[in-house]
Amino acid sequence: SQELEQSPQSLIVQEGKNLTINCTSSKTLYGLYWYKQKYGEGLIFLMMLQKGGEEKSHEKITAKLDEKKQQSSLHITASQPSHAGIYLCGAHWSYSGSARQLTFGSGTQLTVLP
Amino acid sequence: EAQVTQNPRYLITVTGKKLTVTCSQNMNHEYMSWYRQDPGLGLRQIYYSMNVEVTDKGDVPEGYKVSRKEKRNFPLILESPSPNQTSLYFCASSLSRAGGNYGYTFGSGTRLTVV
């Protein structure tokens, strides 16, 4: 989606290295979701961010939402082969009841070399 | 276990032969949606449903139909499949269209090939 840009499109890292994936919006976000997808399989919910400056962690994955609520980063520390997959961000920009659906970025393909 | 179940996981069919991909959720979610995922194009929404008997078009509805007769089921129907509908399809559900605290719950996907 042009409203939500993910970078990089693909990433190859050596096992044990740290990495960062970015998700950038052209306007202020209301909610930002991170998902992980194994090749050919469904999307697994990782984290949801809503407040400017918010940061959440799950195991070795940390997601942050900037103060302006227009950019989120997903950081993986000491990557492992189990981290490989496609990472997608999903977002919506307003909340008026249930009127607004999630829009997804195009994804970042992560490969972790053993 | 809370989940969205899609069937079949894999399907190869011929052009023009009607098919249905089923989707069922056991979380009493009101919102359900179908997506297709293609390389370089990301996830694109086909149809969604806000509740029973309430459905609406997404971004790429051409060639697809849906129905929501029961809250738990949201089948995707291809009346006359064509090769450009070869794709990976996902069903998703949520308490609300906005996603709430846990976003959408996705099914495992259906890989459809139309020859």
Side-chain angles (χ1 to χ4, degrees):
Chain A
S1 165
Q2 292 180 338
E3 295 178 299
L4 209 58
E5 296 284 341
Q6 263 187 260
S7 63
Q9 282 190 318
S10 65
L11 194 52
I12 302 174
V13 300
Q14 203 70 41
E15 182 176 358
K17 296 294 186 184
N18 302 337
L19 63 105
T20 299
I21 297 168
N22 293 303
C23 181
T24 302
S25 168
S26 56
K27 39 187 182 172
T28 302
L29 294 159
Y30 181 84
L32 190 288
Y33 300 78
W34 282 102
Y35 291 86
K36 179 186 175 185
Q37 181 185 18
K38 288 284 191 184
Y39 179 74
E41 297 182 10
L43 283 70
I44 305 297
F45 171 78
L46 295 175
M47 280 169 276
M48 183 264 196
L49 304 166
Q50 199 168 21
K51 299 174 185 174
E54 187 174 11
E55 179 176 320
K56 288 186 179 178
S57 293
H58 175 67
E59 298 178 344
K60 294 184 177 179
I61 301 176
T62 300
K64 301 178 186 179
L65 183 61
D66 74 339
E67 290 288 346
K68 291 171 63 177
K69 295 175 63 176
Q70 287 188 265
Q71 183 168 31
S72 178
S73 60
L74 186 85
H75 184 78
I76 298 178
T77 303
S79 57
Q80 300 168 351
S82 61
H83 288 128
I86 300 171
Y87 289 82
L88 292 98
C89 59
H92 57 88
W93 289 270
S94 65
Y95 188 80
S96 53
S98 58
R100 190 78 172 116
Q101 66 183 17
L102 288 186
T103 296
F104 290 90
S106 56
T108 296
Q109 171 83 55
L110 172 64
T111 303
V112 180
L113 302 175
Chain B
E1 181 188 353
Q3 59 185 1
V4 175
T5 303
Q6 284 180 238
N7 281 298
R9 286 294 309 275
Y10 302 92
L11 180 58
I12 301 175
T13 191
V14 296
T15 299
K17 185 176 181 181
K18 180 179 179 180
L19 67 93
T20 299
V21 184
T22 63
C23 174
S24 180
Q25 50 93 3
N26 61 1
M27 296 165 282
N28 202 36
H29 284 168
E30 292 190 347
Y31 180 77
M32 297 186 75
S33 180
W34 275 102
Y35 293 87
R36 60 178 290 174
Q37 186 179 37
D38 303 286
L41 297 177
L43 280 171
R44 294 182 292 168
Q45 191 181 53
I46 303 170
Y47 268 95
Y48 65 93
S49 170
M50 302 286 282
N51 213 325
V52 175
E53 302 291 2
V54 181
T55 63
D56 208 345
K57 297 177 181 178
D59 299 319
V60 288
E62 296 76 23
Y64 304 94
K65 285 175 57 177
V66 292
S67 69
R68 187 95 181 269
K69 293 186 172 59
E70 305 165 283
K71 197 170 187 178
R72 64 185 292 125
N73 295 324
F74 190 44
L76 179 69
I77 303 155
L78 284 73
E79 294 270 2
S80 183
S82 62
N84 65 11
Q85 291 178 299
T86 293
S87 187
L88 180 59
Y89 291 87
F90 289 105
C91 180
S93 74
S94 177
L95 282 170
S96 73
R97 187 178 181 186
N101 289 330
Y102 300 100
Y104 296 172
T105 301
F106 284 83
S108 299
T110 296
R111 185 166 293 281
L112 173 65
T113 303
V114 184
V115 298

